[in-house]
Amino acid sequence: MADKGVTIRELAEAAGVSIGTVSRALKGQPGLSEQTRAQVLGVAQQLGYDTAKLRTGKPRRMLFLYSRSIGSLANNPFYSYVLHGAETACREAGVPLSIMSVLAGDDVAGQVRRHEADALLGAGYFDPEAMEAIRRCELPLVLVDHFYPGVRCVNDDNQLGAWLATQHLLEGQSQRIAAIFGPLAHYSTSLRAKGFRRALFEAGRLFDPDYEVTLDPALEYRDAGRDAMTRLLALPQPPDAVFAYNDSTAIFAIEVCLEHGLRVPEDIRFIGYDDIEAASRNKPPLSTVKMDKEALGNVAARALIEGDIAPNDASLPVELVVRESSMVAAPAQAEPAPKKAKRKTAVA
Protein backbone atom coordinates (compact mmCIF):
# COMPACT_ATOMS: atom_id res chain seq x y z
CA MET A 1 0.00 0.00 0.00
CA ALA A 2 1.40 3.41 -0.96
CA ASP A 3 2.61 5.70 1.83
CA LYS A 4 0.68 8.95 1.38
CA GLY A 5 3.01 10.68 3.89
CA VAL A 6 6.19 10.15 1.87
CA THR A 7 8.45 13.21 1.81
CA ILE A 8 10.24 14.74 -1.14
CA ARG A 9 13.55 13.69 0.46
CA GLU A 10 12.42 10.06 0.58
CA LEU A 11 11.24 10.35 -3.00
CA ALA A 12 14.64 11.72 -4.05
CA GLU A 13 16.43 8.85 -2.28
CA ALA A 14 14.17 6.27 -3.89
CA ALA A 15 14.74 7.77 -7.35
CA GLY A 16 18.48 8.18 -6.78
CA VAL A 17 18.46 11.92 -7.58
CA SER A 18 18.69 15.23 -5.72
CA ILE A 19 15.77 17.00 -4.06
CA GLY A 20 16.13 19.81 -6.61
CA THR A 21 15.81 17.33 -9.46
CA VAL A 22 12.64 15.88 -7.94
CA SER A 23 11.18 19.36 -7.52
CA ARG A 24 11.89 20.33 -11.14
CA ALA A 25 10.51 17.03 -12.44
CA LEU A 26 7.24 17.31 -10.52
CA LYS A 27 6.78 20.99 -11.43
CA GLY A 28 7.56 20.40 -15.10
CA GLN A 29 10.48 22.85 -15.01
CA PRO A 30 13.23 22.75 -17.67
CA GLY A 31 16.77 21.47 -17.14
CA LEU A 32 16.11 17.71 -17.00
CA SER A 33 16.32 14.94 -19.55
CA GLU A 34 13.04 13.22 -20.40
CA GLN A 35 14.50 9.99 -19.05
CA THR A 36 15.20 11.55 -15.63
CA ARG A 37 11.80 13.25 -15.54
CA ALA A 38 10.03 9.98 -16.37
CA GLN A 39 12.05 8.15 -13.72
CA VAL A 40 11.08 10.63 -11.01
CA LEU A 41 7.41 10.68 -12.00
CA GLY A 42 7.33 6.87 -12.05
CA VAL A 43 8.79 6.59 -8.55
CA ALA A 44 6.41 9.32 -7.30
CA GLN A 45 3.44 7.41 -8.65
CA GLN A 46 4.72 4.14 -7.21
CA LEU A 47 5.18 5.65 -3.72
CA GLY A 48 1.94 7.62 -3.86
CA TYR A 49 3.64 10.99 -3.35
CA ASP A 50 1.13 13.81 -2.73
CA THR A 51 1.99 16.33 -5.45
CA ALA A 52 -0.20 18.94 -3.76
CA LYS A 53 2.72 19.46 -1.40
CA LEU A 54 4.56 21.25 -4.19
CA ARG A 55 2.92 24.65 -4.40
CA THR A 56 3.22 26.48 -7.66
CA GLY A 57 2.99 30.14 -8.45
CA LYS A 58 3.96 33.10 -6.29
CA PRO A 59 4.59 32.25 -2.62
CA ARG A 60 1.87 33.29 -0.20
CA ARG A 61 4.34 34.13 2.58
CA MET A 62 8.14 34.29 2.66
CA LEU A 63 10.30 33.66 5.73
CA PHE A 64 13.67 35.38 6.20
CA LEU A 65 16.01 33.06 8.13
CA TYR A 66 19.27 34.03 9.81
CA SER A 67 21.60 32.41 12.30
CA ARG A 68 21.01 33.51 15.89
CA SER A 69 24.80 33.42 16.37
CA ILE A 70 25.18 36.79 14.59
CA GLY A 71 23.00 38.52 17.21
CA SER A 72 20.23 40.99 16.51
CA LEU A 73 19.63 42.07 12.92
CA ALA A 74 19.06 45.59 14.22
CA ASN A 75 22.70 45.67 15.34
CA ASN A 76 24.11 43.98 12.25
CA PRO A 77 24.96 46.62 9.62
CA PHE A 78 25.31 44.05 6.82
CA TYR A 79 22.30 41.75 7.13
CA SER A 80 19.95 44.59 8.02
CA TYR A 81 20.54 45.90 4.48
CA VAL A 82 19.99 42.42 3.03
CA LEU A 83 16.69 42.20 4.91
CA HIS A 84 15.62 45.61 3.64
CA GLY A 85 16.31 44.57 0.05
CA ALA A 86 14.26 41.40 0.48
CA GLU A 87 11.41 43.31 2.12
CA THR A 88 11.31 45.78 -0.77
CA ALA A 89 10.97 42.97 -3.31
CA CYS A 90 8.24 41.26 -1.26
CA ARG A 91 6.30 44.49 -0.71
CA GLU A 92 6.33 45.27 -4.43
CA ALA A 93 5.08 41.74 -5.19
CA GLY A 94 2.46 41.74 -2.43
CA VAL A 95 4.12 38.88 -0.54
CA PRO A 96 4.21 39.14 3.29
CA LEU A 97 7.68 38.66 4.77
CA SER A 98 8.40 37.46 8.31
CA ILE A 99 11.69 36.89 10.16
CA MET A 100 13.01 33.95 12.16
CA SER A 101 16.38 33.17 13.75
CA VAL A 102 17.83 29.66 13.55
CA LEU A 103 20.31 27.78 15.70
CA ALA A 104 21.46 24.17 15.54
CA GLY A 105 19.08 22.00 17.54
CA ASP A 106 16.02 24.16 16.90
CA ASP A 107 12.76 22.60 15.72
CA VAL A 108 13.08 24.51 12.46
CA ALA A 109 10.30 22.68 10.64
CA GLY A 110 7.84 23.29 13.48
CA GLN A 111 8.68 26.99 13.66
CA VAL A 112 8.41 27.38 9.89
CA ARG A 113 4.95 25.78 9.98
CA ARG A 114 3.86 28.30 12.62
CA HIS A 115 4.96 31.12 10.31
CA GLU A 116 2.87 29.49 7.54
CA ALA A 117 5.71 30.17 5.09
CA ASP A 118 5.93 28.52 1.71
CA ALA A 119 9.30 30.02 0.66
CA LEU A 120 12.54 30.45 2.62
CA LEU A 121 15.31 33.04 2.24
CA GLY A 122 18.37 32.14 4.32
CA ALA A 123 20.93 34.89 5.02
CA GLY A 124 24.48 34.24 6.20
CA TYR A 125 26.27 31.15 7.43
CA PHE A 126 24.35 28.17 8.80
CA ASP A 127 26.27 25.23 10.24
CA PRO A 128 25.62 21.84 8.59
CA GLU A 129 23.11 20.75 11.26
CA ALA A 130 21.04 23.91 10.91
CA MET A 131 21.30 23.72 7.13
CA GLU A 132 19.97 20.18 7.05
CA ALA A 133 17.08 21.21 9.32
CA ILE A 134 16.23 23.99 6.86
CA ARG A 135 16.39 21.62 3.89
CA ARG A 136 14.05 19.17 5.62
CA CYS A 137 11.33 21.80 5.48
CA GLU A 138 11.09 20.91 1.77
CA LEU A 139 10.21 24.45 0.73
CA PRO A 140 11.68 26.60 -2.06
CA LEU A 141 14.94 27.99 -0.69
CA VAL A 142 17.43 30.67 -1.75
CA LEU A 143 20.58 31.50 0.24
CA VAL A 144 22.34 34.87 0.53
CA ASP A 145 26.00 35.19 1.57
CA HIS A 146 26.29 31.41 1.84
CA PHE A 147 26.76 28.38 -0.38
CA TYR A 148 25.23 24.93 -0.17
CA PRO A 149 25.25 22.27 -2.91
CA GLY A 150 21.96 21.89 -4.75
CA VAL A 151 20.58 25.26 -3.61
CA ARG A 152 20.25 28.59 -5.41
CA CYS A 153 22.71 31.04 -3.83
CA VAL A 154 23.26 34.79 -4.21
CA ASN A 155 26.66 36.21 -3.24
CA ASP A 156 28.91 39.10 -4.13
CA ASP A 157 32.22 38.42 -5.91
CA ASN A 158 34.10 37.86 -2.65
CA GLN A 159 37.35 36.59 -4.12
CA LEU A 160 37.66 39.46 -6.59
CA GLY A 161 36.81 42.00 -3.90
CA ALA A 162 39.57 40.77 -1.59
CA TRP A 163 42.01 40.66 -4.52
CA LEU A 164 41.20 44.29 -5.37
CA ALA A 165 41.69 45.36 -1.75
CA THR A 166 45.03 43.58 -1.41
CA GLN A 167 46.22 44.76 -4.81
CA HIS A 168 45.49 48.32 -3.71
CA LEU A 169 47.71 47.88 -0.65
CA LEU A 170 50.44 46.31 -2.79
CA GLU A 171 50.36 49.22 -5.23
CA GLY A 172 51.03 51.54 -2.31
CA GLN A 173 54.37 49.78 -1.72
CA SER A 174 53.36 48.31 1.64
CA GLN A 175 55.89 45.61 2.56
CA ARG A 176 54.23 43.72 5.42
CA ILE A 177 50.57 43.24 4.53
CA ALA A 178 48.47 41.40 7.10
CA ALA A 179 44.88 40.17 7.07
CA ILE A 180 42.24 39.65 9.73
CA PHE A 181 39.54 37.09 8.99
CA GLY A 182 36.49 35.66 10.68
CA PRO A 183 35.77 31.90 10.68
CA LEU A 184 37.08 30.42 7.43
CA ALA A 185 34.22 27.90 7.47
CA HIS A 186 32.02 30.78 6.29
CA TYR A 187 31.72 30.78 2.51
CA SER A 188 32.31 34.49 1.95
CA THR A 189 35.23 34.61 4.40
CA SER A 190 37.00 31.66 2.79
CA LEU A 191 36.73 33.29 -0.63
CA ARG A 192 38.08 36.59 0.71
CA ALA A 193 41.04 34.69 2.16
CA LYS A 194 41.66 33.15 -1.26
CA GLY A 195 41.54 36.56 -2.92
CA PHE A 196 44.01 37.96 -0.39
CA ARG A 197 46.49 35.13 -0.92
CA ARG A 198 46.08 35.19 -4.67
CA ALA A 199 47.03 38.89 -4.83
CA LEU A 200 50.15 38.24 -2.74
CA PHE A 201 51.10 35.25 -4.91
CA GLU A 202 50.69 37.21 -8.14
CA ALA A 203 52.88 39.97 -6.70
CA GLY A 204 55.61 37.46 -5.90
CA ARG A 205 55.16 37.84 -2.14
CA LEU A 206 55.75 34.78 0.03
CA PHE A 207 52.76 33.93 2.20
CA ASP A 208 53.63 34.36 5.89
CA PRO A 209 51.01 32.72 8.18
CA ASP A 210 52.03 35.04 11.03
CA TYR A 211 50.48 37.93 9.13
CA GLU A 212 47.08 36.24 8.77
CA VAL A 213 45.02 36.06 11.96
CA THR A 214 41.52 34.77 12.66
CA LEU A 215 39.08 36.25 15.17
CA ASP A 216 38.92 34.34 18.43
CA PRO A 217 35.37 32.85 18.54
CA ALA A 218 35.48 32.77 22.35
CA LEU A 219 35.52 36.58 22.52
CA GLU A 220 32.79 39.14 21.95
CA TYR A 221 32.92 40.49 18.40
CA ARG A 222 34.49 43.88 19.18
CA ASP A 223 36.97 42.32 21.60
CA ALA A 224 37.91 39.72 18.99
CA GLY A 225 38.73 42.41 16.43
CA ARG A 226 40.85 44.33 18.92
CA ASP A 227 42.59 41.12 20.06
CA ALA A 228 43.48 40.22 16.46
CA MET A 229 45.12 43.60 15.89
CA THR A 230 46.95 43.41 19.21
CA ARG A 231 48.44 40.08 18.14
CA LEU A 232 49.63 41.58 14.87
CA LEU A 233 51.25 44.54 16.62
CA ALA A 234 53.10 42.12 18.92
CA LEU A 235 54.98 40.57 15.95
CA PRO A 236 58.73 41.27 15.76
CA GLN A 237 57.98 43.22 12.59
CA PRO A 238 54.39 44.51 12.82
CA PRO A 239 52.45 45.00 9.58
CA ASP A 240 52.43 48.29 7.72
CA ALA A 241 49.06 47.50 6.06
CA VAL A 242 46.01 45.43 7.01
CA PHE A 243 43.12 43.99 5.01
CA ALA A 244 40.17 43.21 7.30
CA TYR A 245 37.47 40.85 6.08
CA ASN A 246 34.77 43.35 7.00
CA ASP A 247 34.53 47.02 7.92
CA SER A 248 33.59 46.55 11.56
CA THR A 249 36.74 44.51 12.19
CA ALA A 250 38.85 47.13 10.41
CA ILE A 251 37.38 49.89 12.59
CA PHE A 252 38.10 47.94 15.80
CA ALA A 253 41.67 47.30 14.59
CA ILE A 254 42.23 50.99 13.81
CA GLU A 255 41.15 51.86 17.37
CA VAL A 256 43.95 49.66 18.72
CA CYS A 257 46.55 51.20 16.43
CA LEU A 258 45.60 54.74 17.42
CA GLU A 259 45.78 53.78 21.10
CA HIS A 260 49.33 52.51 20.46
CA GLY A 261 50.33 55.87 19.03
CA LEU A 262 50.36 54.76 15.40
CA ARG A 263 49.16 57.08 12.67
CA VAL A 264 46.71 55.87 10.01
CA PRO A 265 47.63 55.83 7.15
CA GLU A 266 51.15 57.25 7.69
CA ASP A 267 52.39 54.33 9.83
CA ILE A 268 49.87 51.63 8.91
CA ARG A 269 47.25 51.50 6.15
CA PHE A 270 43.82 49.84 6.38
CA ILE A 271 41.12 48.58 4.06
CA GLY A 272 37.91 46.77 4.98
CA TYR A 273 35.01 45.12 3.14
CA ASP A 274 31.24 45.76 2.82
CA ASP A 275 31.10 49.61 2.86
CA ILE A 276 28.78 49.91 5.84
CA GLU A 277 27.73 53.45 6.84
CA ALA A 278 30.29 53.61 9.65
CA ALA A 279 33.14 53.18 7.14
CA SER A 280 32.78 56.64 5.62
CA ARG A 281 32.21 58.25 9.05
CA ASN A 282 35.22 56.64 10.67
CA LYS A 283 38.25 58.75 11.58
CA PRO A 284 40.08 58.39 9.32
CA PRO A 285 37.46 57.40 6.71
CA LEU A 286 37.89 53.72 5.89
CA SER A 287 38.76 52.39 2.44
CA THR A 288 36.66 49.37 1.61
CA VAL A 289 35.15 47.06 -1.01
CA LYS A 290 31.59 48.04 -1.82
CA MET A 291 28.78 45.81 -2.95
CA ASP A 292 25.05 46.46 -3.19
CA LYS A 293 23.92 44.80 0.04
CA GLU A 294 20.24 45.51 -0.57
CA ALA A 295 20.54 43.97 -4.03
CA LEU A 296 21.65 40.67 -2.46
CA GLY A 297 18.35 40.40 -0.56
CA ASN A 298 16.32 41.81 -3.43
CA VAL A 299 17.69 39.37 -6.01
CA ALA A 300 17.18 36.41 -3.67
CA ALA A 301 13.59 37.37 -2.83
CA ARG A 302 12.71 37.95 -6.48
CA ALA A 303 14.10 34.52 -7.37
CA LEU A 304 11.69 32.95 -4.87
CA ILE A 305 8.78 35.10 -6.04
CA GLU A 306 9.41 34.16 -9.67
CA GLY A 307 10.07 30.48 -8.90
CA ASP A 308 13.64 30.72 -10.20
CA ILE A 309 15.20 28.41 -7.62
CA ALA A 310 17.25 26.03 -9.77
CA PRO A 311 20.68 25.44 -8.12
CA ASN A 312 23.03 28.25 -9.09
CA ASP A 313 25.59 30.58 -7.48
CA ALA A 314 24.87 34.11 -8.70
CA SER A 315 27.68 36.62 -8.11
CA LEU A 316 26.98 40.35 -7.83
CA PRO A 317 29.69 42.92 -8.74
CA VAL A 318 31.98 44.68 -6.28
CA GLU A 319 33.79 48.03 -6.35
CA LEU A 320 36.95 49.33 -4.66
CA VAL A 321 36.36 52.51 -2.64
CA VAL A 322 39.56 54.34 -1.66
CA ARG A 323 39.42 56.68 1.32
CA GLU A 324 41.99 58.21 3.66
CA SER A 325 42.79 55.06 5.70
CA SER A 326 44.76 53.46 2.86
CA MET A 327 46.20 56.46 1.10
CA VAL A 328 49.95 56.55 0.64
CA ALA A 329 51.56 59.39 2.54
CA ALA A 330 53.47 61.77 0.31
CA PRO A 331 57.21 61.70 0.97
CA ALA A 332 58.35 64.48 3.21
CA GLN A 333 59.83 67.36 1.29
CA ALA A 334 63.32 68.31 2.38
CA GLU A 335 63.52 71.91 3.45
CA PRO A 336 65.52 73.99 0.97
CA ALA A 337 68.99 74.92 2.13
CA PRO A 338 69.27 78.58 3.19
CA LYS A 339 70.69 80.79 0.52
CA LYS A 340 74.14 82.10 1.20
CA ALA A 341 74.23 85.84 1.71
CA LYS A 342 76.01 87.63 -1.06
CA ARG A 343 79.18 89.32 0.09
CA LYS A 344 78.99 93.02 -0.42
CA THR A 345 82.10 94.65 -1.77
CA ALA A 346 82.83 98.06 -0.42
CA VAL A 347 83.41 100.68 -3.06
CA ALA A 348 86.15 103.07 -2.29
Side-chain angles (χ1 to χ4, degrees):
M1 183 174 177
D3 179 8
K4 300 296 183 180
V6 68
T7 68
I8 192 172
R9 181 178 294 276
E10 292 167 339
L11 176 52
E13 291 174 355
V17 297
S18 70
I19 292 175
T21 296
V22 170
S23 178
R24 291 196 296 279
L26 296 177
K27 291 181 178 180
Q29 294 176 337
L32 300 178
S33 68
E34 288 306 316
Q35 179 181 358
T36 300
R37 192 183 308 278
Q39 175 188 349
V40 172
L41 293 176
V43 173
Q45 183 176 14
Q46 178 183 352
L47 296 180
Y49 180 78
D50 182 7
T51 56
K53 294 179 180 179
L54 286 171
R55 300 183 177 100
T56 58
K58 187 172 68 177
R60 295 193 298 269
R61 180 181 293 275
M62 191 181 302
L63 183 58
F64 185 98
L65 303 174
Y66 69 95
S67 174
R68 197 150 60 247
S69 62
I70 69 171
S72 168
L73 283 181
N75 296 323
N76 189 297
F78 181 87
Y79 293 115
S80 58
Y81 280 106
V82 174
L83 173 61
H84 188 263
E87 192 276 332
T88 299
C90 288
R91 179 163 32 84
E92 292 173 350
V95 176
L97 177 70
S98 55
I99 307 171
M100 187 181 95
S101 63
V102 173
L103 203 62
D106 286 353
D107 177 16
V108 176
Q111 294 179 40
V112 168
R113 282 195 297 271
R114 285 191 286 275
H115 279 269
E116 299 182 345
D118 52 7
L120 305 177
L121 194 163
Y125 175 76
F126 297 95
D127 62 40
E129 182 181 349
M131 196 65 230
E132 280 303 305
I134 293 170
R135 294 296 304 276
R136 283 196 294 272
C137 294
E138 299 182 357
L139 292 173
L141 170 66
V142 175
L143 298 175
V144 172
D145 193 37
H146 192 31
F147 176 80
Y148 197 84
V151 178
R152 184 167 184 82
C153 306
V154 181
N155 290 283
D156 66 276
D157 198 336
N158 289 283
Q159 188 169 167
L160 174 62
W163 183 90
L164 289 171
T166 311
Q167 184 68 23
H168 169 64
L169 296 176
L170 287 163
E171 290 172 351
Q173 303 303 310
S174 293
Q175 298 302 310
R176 299 179 303 280
I177 302 176
I180 302 175
F181 293 114
L184 294 178
H186 294 199
Y187 179 67
S188 58
T189 306
S190 66
L191 288 182
R192 292 175 192 183
K194 288 181 180 178
F196 170 73
R197 297 167 189 163
R198 175 187 149 204
L200 293 180
F201 175 79
E202 291 177 355
R205 300 284 186 94
L206 293 176
F207 173 70
D208 187 340
D210 288 341
Y211 286 93
E212 185 178 305
V213 297
T214 303
L215 299 183
D216 185 343
L219 298 176
E220 293 293 327
Y221 185 45
R222 182 173 182 271
D223 294 337
R226 291 176 58 86
D227 168 73
M229 191 66 236
T230 301
R231 283 184 275 154
L232 288 173
L233 292 180
L235 293 173
Q237 290 187 303
D240 57 6
V242 175
F243 164 59
Y245 84 114
N246 65 25
D247 292 339
S248 296
T249 299
I251 291 170
F252 302 149
I254 288 175
E255 289 177 0
V256 173
C257 290
L258 297 178
E259 290 168 6
H260 280 73
L262 296 174
R263 300 169 300 164
V264 179
E266 293 84 355
D267 299 321
I268 184 168
R269 301 162 64 212
F270 277 90
I271 188 166
Y273 203 112
D274 292 340
D275 196 27
I276 62 175
E277 283 189 23
S280 61
R281 298 198 307 266
N282 193 61
K283 293 184 179 180
L286 179 66
S287 296
T288 187
V289 176
K290 178 181 181 179
M291 101 283 291
D292 191 336
K293 297 172 283 297
E294 290 194 18
L296 289 171
N298 198 280
V299 169
R302 287 189 180 280
L304 286 166
I305 291 166
E306 296 166 4
D308 183 14
I309 60 169
N312 183 29
D313 185 15
S315 185
L316 303 189
V318 295
E319 174 188 353
L320 181 68
V321 178
V322 177
R323 299 189 178 108
E324 185 181 341
S325 70
S326 67
M327 290 182 178
V328 179
Q333 297 290 329
E335 292 187 10
K339 294 181 179 180
K340 291 183 179 180
K342 293 182 179 179
R343 181 180 297 174
K344 293 184 179 179
T345 305
V347 179

